[in-house]
Amino acid sequence: MDNLDEFDINILKELEKDGRMAFSAIAANLKISNTMVHQRINRLVEQGVISGIKPIIQEKKIGYDWASFTGITLNKDSDSDRIIEELKNIPEITECYYVTGSFTLYIKIIAKNHEHMRSILYEKIDSIPGIAKTDSIIELGCAFKRNIIL
């Protein structure tokens, strides 16, 4: 992938403000052609720099008041692909990362309340063969969340 140039960065900054912004509005704001914006965004998508435009759901606004960051220790790290596929089937798990240190995987769980969280941890996650242990930290609120600043 080529490095991002000033035009790419400025287009991404406009999309960061509003991912649904019309290409013509981006072009007008940046004083460049609509065609250039269209071509640049298509290239950024093809290169994988932009993976999609989707809504950012505010979980608390729809009744999901609890969240945890949970480290997962596996019996065998070689089982991680299979276990990840099983974790994908749990809709309350919104993120999953490979990590170094005490855990193999680190996940984010969104739940409606403490009973829902307990159910996810004890009935769904702990029942997956190959998971040796989980260790959760309860989230008390998000101070901020953002994309990398360009």
Side-chain angles (χ1 to χ4, degrees):
M1 179 185 77
D2 298 331
N3 291 330
L4 300 178
D5 65 16
E6 184 178 336
F7 292 110
D8 294 328
I9 291 170
N10 288 332
I11 290 168
L12 290 170
K13 286 179 178 179
E14 290 294 312
L15 288 172
E16 182 73 19
K17 293 177 198 172
D18 179 0
R20 299 179 305 161
M21 185 180 288
F23 291 174
S24 58
I26 294 170
N29 290 348
L30 300 178
K31 298 177 179 37
I32 58 177
S33 74
N34 191 31
T35 302
M36 182 178 187
V37 171
H38 191 269
Q39 290 172 341
R40 293 291 183 118
I41 289 175
N42 283 342
R43 184 176 48 80
L44 291 168
V45 169
E46 288 171 9
Q47 292 176 338
V49 173
I50 299 173
S51 61
I53 297 172
K54 51 189 163 187
I56 299 171
I57 297 171
Q58 302 300 320
E59 293 98 354
K60 292 189 186 319
K61 298 278 187 184
I62 59 170
Y64 288 80
D65 290 331
W66 280 62
S68 77
F69 297 97
T70 300
I72 299 177
T73 304
L74 305 182
N75 290 327
K76 294 187 299 185
D77 287 350
S78 60
D79 285 342
S80 63
D81 288 343
R82 178 187 55 78
I83 290 169
I84 289 167
E85 288 306 310
E86 293 196 46
L87 292 171
K88 285 180 183 177
N89 292 324
I90 303 171
E92 296 91 348
I93 298 175
T94 59
E95 299 175 47
C96 181
Y97 299 93
Y98 295 103
V99 294
T100 61
S102 303
F103 307 111
T104 305
L105 302 170
Y106 212 66
I107 60 174
K108 183 171 183 184
I109 304 169
I110 306 297
K112 293 179 179 182
N113 52 46
H114 73 278
E115 286 299 318
H116 186 203
M117 182 66 72
R118 183 199 57 73
S119 170
I120 296 163
L121 287 167
Y122 294 168
E123 296 169 17
K124 294 182 180 181
I125 295 172
D126 283 351
S127 68
I128 297 173
I131 292 181
K133 177 183 153 192
T134 61
D135 188 5
S136 296
I137 300 168
I138 299 299
E139 177 228 312
L140 298 176
C142 180
F144 70 89
K145 184 176 180 178
R146 64 178 174 210
N147 286 327
I148 188 73
I149 298 173
L150 300 174

